[in-house]
Amino acid sequence: MPDKLSRRKLARYVADRVTDGTIPEEVLQELAAYLVESDRQRELVLIVRAIEDILEERCIVIATVTTAHKTDSSLAASLQTRINAKELYVREVVNPKVIGGVRLQTPSKTFDSTIAHKITLLQNAKV
Amino acid sequence: MDTLGIDFVTLGIQIGAFLIFFAVIAKFVYPPILSMLDKRDKEIDRAAKAAQTAQQMADQSKQETEKLLKKARAEAADIVTTAKSEASNMLEAAETKSKAQAERIVAEAQVSIEKEIIAARKSLHNELIDLVASATEKVTSKAVSESVDRKLIADAVTETK
């Protein structure tokens, strides 16, 4: 039985293949197959996070953007400029509960400028 | 001698009788009487001396009594003075203690009031925050349209680093 690959190594392999220009779907299928074969499906979320971390190190950022209303592509372009990313992939989440503004979550940081967050900060100012 | 009427025989007999009488008295009467008188004199002397001694002792006793009375009066005066002084001190101490206790009570009350004021301020502050947050949420939920939201997002992105 071959030695189990660490999550970090797996993530690095996937990141390398994606940055090399391999079609991401193919790489992900390989990854999925490996995980099923080695019965490591439970580690999927952690591996995905590790992949995102490694890609961020290489200025390829996968971010979750939460807004109250649907946005257009100009937001992604502005965000890419502001966070100095070579490439930015945005997961859009529309959540009316944030009321307004934007929440940007990258693997390494979170920037929350939503109205809901500001109201929460105000409420946290209670003594 | 007949002219004078002196009868020598009778005279002789009378003198003899007188001498016998004198001898009898001197032998049997005067000594007891004299001794009795002596005895009485001695007793009187003794009584006088005893009275004198008693008088002296009474005087001495009186002096001693007076001395004791004087000493007792002086001690009583001391005791009264000491008691007055102690009573005065106790009164002063009680007053000081009461004053200190009253001041402590007042200070504790002030501290308690201040704590209550601080607690009331905190409660008011928190209630105000809740009200403002709730009002803000309600107002902004209605007021933030898509266009307003786009402006907010644009401003937020400008702040992002």
Side-chain angles (χ1 to χ4, degrees):
Chain A
M1 185 99 175
D3 288 340
K4 184 173 139 176
L5 285 171
S6 70
R7 284 198 287 272
R8 193 81 186 154
K9 275 189 181 158
L10 275 174
R12 199 174 296 283
Y13 170 75
V14 169
D16 289 342
R17 290 289 302 275
V18 165
T19 50
D20 283 347
T22 312
I23 299 167
E25 285 82 6
E26 285 179 16
V27 179
L28 293 174
Q29 274 178 5
E30 278 182 34
L31 175 64
Y34 172 75
L35 290 177
V36 166
E37 196 184 333
S38 55
D39 195 25
R40 292 173 68 181
Q41 298 93 312
R42 281 186 292 274
E43 295 178 44
L44 178 63
V45 172
L46 295 169
I47 291 169
V48 166
R49 209 171 286 164
I51 295 169
E52 289 179 1
D53 284 341
I54 291 167
L55 286 174
E56 193 182 19
E57 285 168 19
R58 302 176 189 183
C59 297
I60 300 170
V61 178
I62 300 164
T64 305
V65 172
T66 308
T67 54
H69 303 91
K70 197 154 169 50
T71 56
D72 53 29
S73 55
S74 60
L75 174 61
S78 333
L79 286 174
Q80 186 175 345
T81 313
R82 294 315 295 172
I83 62 175
N84 297 321
K86 268 197 311 202
E87 290 172 45
L88 174 66
Y89 297 93
V90 170
R91 276 190 217 111
E92 279 187 45
V93 174
V94 176
N95 182 1
K97 284 187 180 165
V98 304
I99 303 172
V102 62
R103 183 189 307 136
L104 172 69
Q105 287 166 289
T106 65
S108 59
K109 57 186 130 194
T110 300
F111 170 76
D112 195 334
S113 182
T114 57
I115 291 174
H117 178 65
K118 286 177 183 168
I119 291 173
T120 304
L121 288 177
L122 175 64
Q123 283 173 330
N124 289 346
K126 281 198 264 191
V127 292
Chain B
M1 283 295 153
D2 285 328
T3 44
L4 289 175
I6 299 171
D7 188 2
F8 286 105
V9 171
T10 307
L11 182 66
I13 293 169
Q14 280 177 349
I15 289 171
F18 178 74
L19 287 174
I20 291 169
F21 174 71
F22 184 77
V24 166
I25 286 176
K27 181 105 175 137
F28 296 107
V29 176
Y30 278 153
I33 287 173
L34 285 176
S35 77
M36 194 184 70
L37 288 174
D38 280 342
K39 204 170 161 187
R40 210 176 71 171
D41 281 343
K42 279 183 187 159
E43 277 183 16
I44 288 168
D45 280 341
R46 202 177 60 241
K49 277 184 186 157
Q52 199 178 11
T53 309
Q55 182 64 38
Q56 279 176 358
M57 282 176 69
D59 286 343
Q60 200 175 355
S61 170
K62 191 178 170 186
Q63 278 178 5
E64 280 176 12
T65 306
E66 275 178 16
K67 219 190 277 182
L68 284 172
L69 274 175
K70 200 173 169 185
K71 190 178 170 189
R73 279 196 203 105
E75 281 180 8
D78 277 345
I79 288 169
V80 166
T81 308
T82 307
K84 277 185 182 171
S85 167
E86 280 181 9
S88 170
N89 290 344
M90 279 172 69
L91 191 62
E92 222 176 283
E95 270 181 37
T96 308
K97 195 176 169 187
S98 304
K99 218 174 174 181
Q101 199 170 1
E103 282 171 7
R104 199 177 59 243
I105 289 170
V106 165
E108 280 172 9
Q110 277 175 344
V111 166
S112 174
I113 288 167
E114 278 170 19
K115 278 185 184 166
E116 281 177 20
I117 289 173
I118 289 168
R121 279 192 184 141
K122 277 185 188 173
S123 174
L124 189 61
H125 174 80
N126 291 344
E127 277 179 35
L128 190 60
I129 284 175
D130 283 338
L131 274 170
V132 167
S134 172
T136 306
E137 201 175 336
K138 287 189 170 104
V139 165
T140 51
S141 301
K142 292 189 169 87
V144 176
S145 60
E146 268 195 61
S147 55
V148 170
D149 194 18
R150 236 175 277 132
K151 173 97 178 41
L152 281 170
I153 291 169
D155 290 342
V157 169
T158 313
E159 284 171 31
T160 310
K161 272 218 168 252

